[in-house]
Amino acid sequence: DAGAGEAAAPLQASKPLDAQQLLREAEEAAGDASTEMLDVRGLKRLTLALERKYNANLEARMKYAEAPDKFMESEADLDEAVKAMLVVASAPDLYPELVTSTSAVPTLLALLNHENSDIAADAVEALSELTDGDAVEDAEDEATVLVESLLDNDALSLLVHRLGAFNEKVPEEASAVYNVLSIIENIIEVKPEVAELVLEKTKACTNLYLLLKWLLSRLRPREVDSNKQYTSEILAILVQQSDANKRKISASNGIDAVLQAIAPYRNRDPETTEEEEFVENLFNIVASCLLLPENKAVFVEAEGVELMLLILKSKRATRTSALKCLDFATTRCPPACDRMVDQQGLKTLFAIFMGKLRVKKKDESGTSEEEERTISIISSLLQNIAKQTRRDRVAAKFVENEFEKCDRLMEIYFRYEARVIAEEARLAEVADDDLDEEDILLARMDGGLYTVQQCALVVGALWLVEDTGIRKRILKLLHQKGRTLASLRSVLLEYRANLGDDGERRQPGGV
């Protein structure tokens, strides 16, 4: 056997190992490999044992198809050989050898279709361990070799097919479902471009098992378990990494499905850490989808604005996430802005803006984000609403209670402006030659420049309303800080300079 001879060459070239000897030693490897440092010879033992027991089981199943008790022993032997492959994950440097000199990868993938779900589950576990991030953390090239081999052997089709066949009411099969999801995540981690591929119709199960269809359906059960949480995480990964996937989610009624999964939390908070992660993933999926303009119309049609407003009113812990979705939805989207006004959302929005609608256990970072989100939403409303009466309703909020919202607006403006000035001073001290204009702009944005700009846009839009009271109040607040309208104008000019053509059309009037 040439393969066996090559594997044994490092030991004694003059005495090549006999393949039969390796096969006889394979069963020992199943028990000993986990306690020894795996080398090429040990790998050969494991893979030869796997192949031998796989073939023996196939033969026994065909020969005794009507008498299962007669092939059960071969089944147990095969299961043992599959489990023995787990040790290979401790030696990722051997992955190229595993792929090029053995048939282990095709065999493990073939076992995904095994009639014995225990064996299929063990094959899934082995593949999950082999691709696990901890195993391949320092072996990127070797991991790539393994992942490419999996893809070449149609792993995605086989995994999706098996995903639909496991019965999650059986604990072992529920664990196998979790492992399938982990394999998909691990593959994407090694080759991000696969994120789009996994949502395509697979060759082996075209029109039968689509991963996206399975993932969306898995969100439906009310109970939140590990698999449901992991499903939401996989969906979040897929939409965050690909605009094509954002479109596929929308085209598959996925935005509506995710909103339905969020809906129960309009009246209650997540009860466990696992449930918190699940809900946060759902909001991240929606927010990612809303980065595409065409998906905003779908969100509005699915009554996403109404759902987010209900969450805001109920003072739930998910409020910040709901604000984020509304922020994304209203950006350059007049229908979303109109819907928010028509659904009586201004009262709730401005209550949060004024810090009057508090959520229990809200940390400081969450409060800051809510300030930034509310400012951004108010800015979008004033810029995007086309109907004068609706826009006047937004502007009128700044007149209420002796212009208290103008005071709040300028207080936020000056506070964030101070942060930006501090960040600019820090950058000046660093004087890093590696920082280009874009790096400096991003650092200033992180320091609060975006919120300063949104505040300035709100002031500009309010100025155009030509309300004398609002104008006087803004001028008074500026003069108290020794400022004039020129400081606001410079912020708006910089904002405009950093926008493309679409952004320029968003400018409020002639500001």
Side-chain angles (χ1 to χ4, degrees):
D1 181 76
E6 288 179 15
L11 299 176
Q12 286 189 2
S14 59
K15 294 182 180 181
L17 287 176
D18 180 65
Q20 294 300 317
Q21 179 184 347
L22 287 174
L23 289 173
R24 285 192 297 272
E25 293 175 344
E27 293 181 10
E28 297 177 17
D32 298 341
S34 60
T35 59
E36 299 177 354
M37 291 295 292
L38 192 67
D39 56 13
V40 173
R41 182 181 181 187
L43 177 66
K44 183 67 73 174
R45 288 178 181 177
L46 291 173
T47 56
L48 284 172
L50 177 66
E51 186 66 21
R52 177 187 174 214
K53 293 177 180 180
Y54 172 62
N55 290 329
N57 180 244
L58 280 179
E59 183 179 344
R61 272 185 165 271
M62 289 187 291
K63 186 174 181 179
Y64 304 109
E66 303 300 325
D69 57 308
K70 293 187 177 181
F71 60 70
M72 292 306 295
E73 183 177 351
S74 71
E75 212 106 302
D77 290 342
L78 174 58
D79 193 49
E80 183 180 330
V82 174
K83 290 178 178 177
M85 290 297 296
L86 292 170
V87 74
V88 182
S90 66
D93 56 301
L94 295 179
Y95 284 3
E97 183 75 19
L98 177 73
V99 168
T100 59
S101 302
T102 76
S103 59
V105 170
T107 300
L108 287 173
L109 291 174
L111 288 172
L112 296 180
N113 285 324
H114 202 282
E115 292 183 23
N116 187 326
S117 59
D118 289 339
I119 291 176
D122 287 337
V124 167
E125 183 182 6
L127 291 169
S128 176
E129 290 294 322
L130 288 171
T131 57
D132 185 75
D134 291 337
V136 302
E137 183 178 4
D138 299 319
E140 293 183 8
D141 293 340
E142 292 82 356
T144 300
V145 170
L146 174 60
V147 166
E148 289 178 346
S149 176
L150 290 171
L151 295 174
D152 290 343
N153 284 278
D154 205 20
L156 294 177
S157 295
L158 295 167
L159 287 167
V160 174
H161 178 77
R162 190 70 225 192
L163 192 60
F166 281 127
N167 178 8
E168 290 190 68
K169 294 181 180 179
V170 179
E172 293 77 12
E173 296 189 41
S175 296
V177 167
Y178 188 93
N179 286 331
V180 170
L181 297 175
S182 74
I183 296 169
I184 293 172
E185 181 183 15
N186 296 340
I187 289 175
I188 294 173
E189 185 70 24
V190 175
K191 292 183 72 69
E193 61 270 25
V194 174
E196 288 189 15
L197 181 62
V198 296
L199 292 190
E200 295 289 351
K201 291 181 179 179
T202 54
K203 290 183 286 186
C205 51
T206 301
N207 295 322
L208 294 176
Y209 293 99
L210 297 179
L211 178 61
L212 179 56
K213 181 179 178 181
W214 186 93
L215 292 171
L216 292 173
S217 66
R218 189 60 182 80
L219 297 178
R220 290 175 192 159
R222 183 175 179 82
E223 298 76 15
V224 177
D225 54 23
S226 297
N227 286 350
K228 187 173 180 180
Q229 187 276 327
Y230 208 171
T231 295
S232 67
E233 186 174 333
I234 294 296
L235 276 169
I237 290 171
L238 293 175
V239 297
Q240 286 168 356
Q241 295 200 12
S242 163
D243 283 351
N245 287 345
K246 294 179 180 67
R247 295 185 179 93
K248 290 172 189 171
I249 287 276
S250 179
S252 302
N253 293 322
I255 292 177
D256 185 64
V258 176
L259 290 174
Q260 288 183 31
I262 290 175
Y265 299 96
R266 68 189 183 279
N267 296 319
R268 68 180 183 89
D269 288 329
E271 297 176 356
T272 65
T273 300
E274 189 171 64
E275 196 171 11
E276 287 177 1
E277 293 175 357
F278 167 71
V279 176
E280 191 61 30
N281 286 333
L282 295 179
F283 279 106
N284 286 337
I285 293 167
V286 174
S288 293
C289 288
L290 288 172
L291 292 173
L292 293 186
E294 58 265 38
N295 285 346
K296 296 180 182 183
V298 177
F299 176 80
V300 173
E301 184 66 24
E303 299 185 348
V305 172
E306 288 86 339
L307 176 59
M308 298 303 130
L309 288 175
L310 285 173
I311 293 172
L312 298 189
K313 292 175 183 177
S314 63
K315 303 181 184 180
R316 296 300 164 189
T318 53
R319 187 174 80 180
T320 302
S321 297
L323 275 172
K324 177 180 178 180
C325 289
L326 284 174
D327 184 10
F328 285 18
T330 54
T331 300
R332 306 187 196 183
C333 182
C337 295
D338 292 345
R339 184 69 64 90
M340 189 164 181
V341 175
D342 293 343
Q343 293 299 317
Q344 312 299 317
L346 294 183
K347 180 178 179 181
T348 305
L349 176 66
F350 278 94
I352 298 172
F353 172 67
M354 294 298 296
K356 295 179 179 179
L357 196 63
R358 297 189 178 277
V359 175
K360 294 180 180 179
K361 299 181 180 179
K362 177 65 66 177
D363 59 26
E364 186 176 344
S365 62
T367 302
S368 295
E369 182 175 354
E370 289 192 353
E371 282 183 349
E372 295 162 9
R373 295 293 180 194
T374 53
I375 286 289
S376 182
I377 294 170
I378 293 168
S379 175
S380 292
L381 294 178
L382 288 169
Q383 293 177 74
N384 295 318
I385 291 174
K387 196 172 181 180
Q388 184 68 38
T389 54
R390 288 195 184 99
R391 193 163 61 250
D392 287 346
R393 287 173 62 184
V394 180
K397 287 290 180 180
F398 288 88
V399 179
E400 295 175 350
N401 299 324
E402 297 185 359
F403 308 100
E404 65 173 3
K405 295 175 184 64
C406 288
D407 297 346
R408 174 69 168 160
L409 174 65
M410 298 308 295
E411 181 265 319
I412 294 173
Y413 172 82
F414 290 128
R415 177 152 43 85
Y416 276 82
E417 182 189 50
R419 294 183 189 179
V420 175
I421 292 171
E423 179 63 18
E424 290 170 344
R426 187 192 69 80
L427 292 170
E429 290 180 1
V430 172
D432 190 342
D433 293 336
D434 293 333
L435 291 176
D436 56 22
E437 289 186 9
E438 184 174 351
D439 292 329
I440 293 172
L441 178 60
L442 288 174
R444 293 172 66 222
M445 285 290 184
D446 290 339
L449 179 60
Y450 178 78
T451 300
V452 170
Q453 291 173 339
Q454 294 304 305
C455 287
L457 285 168
V458 172
V459 173
L462 291 174
W463 197 267
L464 292 175
V465 175
E466 298 184 353
D467 182 282
T468 303
I470 290 178
R471 287 187 173 187
K472 286 182 177 180
R473 193 69 169 198
I474 291 172
L475 286 172
K476 176 183 176 181
L477 295 168
L478 284 169
H479 293 162
Q480 286 176 349
K481 293 287 185 176
R483 307 293 184 82
T484 66
L485 287 175
S487 59
L488 287 166
R489 187 178 296 112
S490 64
V491 172
L492 292 174
L493 288 173
E494 181 185 12
Y495 176 78
R496 180 175 182 175
N498 286 292
L499 290 176
D501 292 338
D502 289 343
E504 289 182 356
R505 288 196 293 270
R506 294 178 59 212
Q507 297 305 303
V511 175

